[in-house]
Amino acid sequence: MQKSKILNIILAVVILVLLFVGRDSGGPAESINNLFSKTTQMDTSKMDHTKRSLGVRNLVFPEPAMVIGSYDKDGKPNIMTAAWFGVANSRPFKVAVSLRPATYSYDGITANMAFTVNVPDASLISYVKFAGKYTGRDMNKFDETGLTPVKAEYVNAPYVREFPIVLECKVTEYHDLGSHRQFIGEVVDSKIDERLLDEEG
């Protein structure tokens, strides 16, 4: 089914719901106001907000699951799943990914000063799990999964052809923070599947 047909169906359902909710009120505009006022003006006075200390714990959810692409010292393409990921800067656009020295990708990224960020969609979750569960020291993950490595256009790192969004990153600096090394990568190119773009791009 085309995207526009799905959106039209969703819009029709929303209108029907608003008309149904608003039939005993002052009209659709009041119905919309009532819907939002019910959700945004929740009475929190009776909720228990007592906090308990858990010590130093990671309680930031959800964690992003990005698949990081790199070459090892012999030029073998590798991928790993990283949750310690985020935007580091706007201009120039930089991202940060933190890896433990024990990971196979750590040495490859340090040697090549480059990596790719492969952004998955829901259909790729099994590959994301696989890339995070196994190490590239023991196998070629591309061979094992059937995913396709593509040499990045601007940096010395591979990206995954089947992933819909790719960021090509050159490492401009890194910081040894303790358990992890944080790599700061300047995004030199962003790629996206044509199927995700509309007429205006």
Side-chain angles (χ1 to χ4, degrees):
M1 187 178 289
Q2 291 180 343
K3 187 176 176 182
S4 59
K5 288 182 181 177
I6 294 172
L7 291 174
N8 286 336
I9 291 169
I10 292 171
L11 181 59
V13 170
V14 169
I15 291 171
L16 287 172
V17 168
L18 289 175
L19 289 173
F20 179 76
V21 170
R23 62 183 182 174
D24 296 323
S25 66
E30 189 175 327
S31 300
I32 293 170
N33 288 334
N34 288 340
L35 282 174
F36 284 110
S37 66
K38 288 175 187 170
T39 56
T40 58
Q41 296 180 359
M42 183 170 49
D43 182 11
T44 60
S45 62
K46 295 178 177 61
M47 293 181 182
D48 183 6
H49 295 286
T50 305
K51 306 289 189 283
R52 177 167 38 122
S53 174
L54 300 176
V56 180
R57 298 268 299 272
N58 170 35
L59 297 177
V60 180
F61 298 103
E63 295 174 355
M66 301 297 173
V67 172
I68 307 300
S70 62
Y71 288 120
D72 71 6
K73 59 181 173 36
D74 299 319
K76 182 182 86 174
N78 185 52
I79 50 175
M80 71 164 285
T81 302
W84 303 144
F85 173 85
V87 173
N89 196 58
S90 298
R91 293 193 183 101
F93 180 36
K94 295 185 180 188
V95 296
V97 62
S98 294
L99 307 180
R100 291 178 297 109
T103 63
Y104 191 60
S105 298
Y106 176 95
D107 290 331
I109 294 174
T110 301
N112 294 299
M113 296 297 280
F115 61 91
T116 63
V117 179
N118 301 270
V119 183
D121 61 24
S123 70
L124 297 165
I125 189 66
S126 61
Y127 298 107
V128 175
K129 289 180 180 179
F130 186 92
K133 184 174 182 180
Y134 300 102
T135 175
R137 283 190 187 88
D138 301 333
M139 68 180 73
N140 184 318
K141 295 185 194 177
F142 284 99
D143 289 345
E144 291 295 322
T145 60
L147 293 172
T148 311
V150 178
K151 170 77 174 77
E153 192 174 358
Y154 299 101
V155 300
N156 189 27
Y159 68 82
V160 186
R161 183 175 67 87
E162 291 80 5
F163 278 56
I165 299 173
V166 174
L167 306 177
E168 297 188 16
C169 305
K170 68 174 181 181
V171 175
T172 57
E173 59 193 283
Y174 57 79
H175 309 281
D176 291 317
L177 305 174
S179 62
H180 287 62
R181 171 175 285 181
Q182 182 183 61
F183 295 94
I184 306 296
E186 181 176 343
V187 178
V188 296
D189 194 39
S190 305
K191 292 175 165 54
I192 188 167
D193 282 0
E194 290 277 359
R195 63 185 168 82
L196 300 178
L197 298 173
D198 62 15
E199 293 76 15
E200 284 103 33

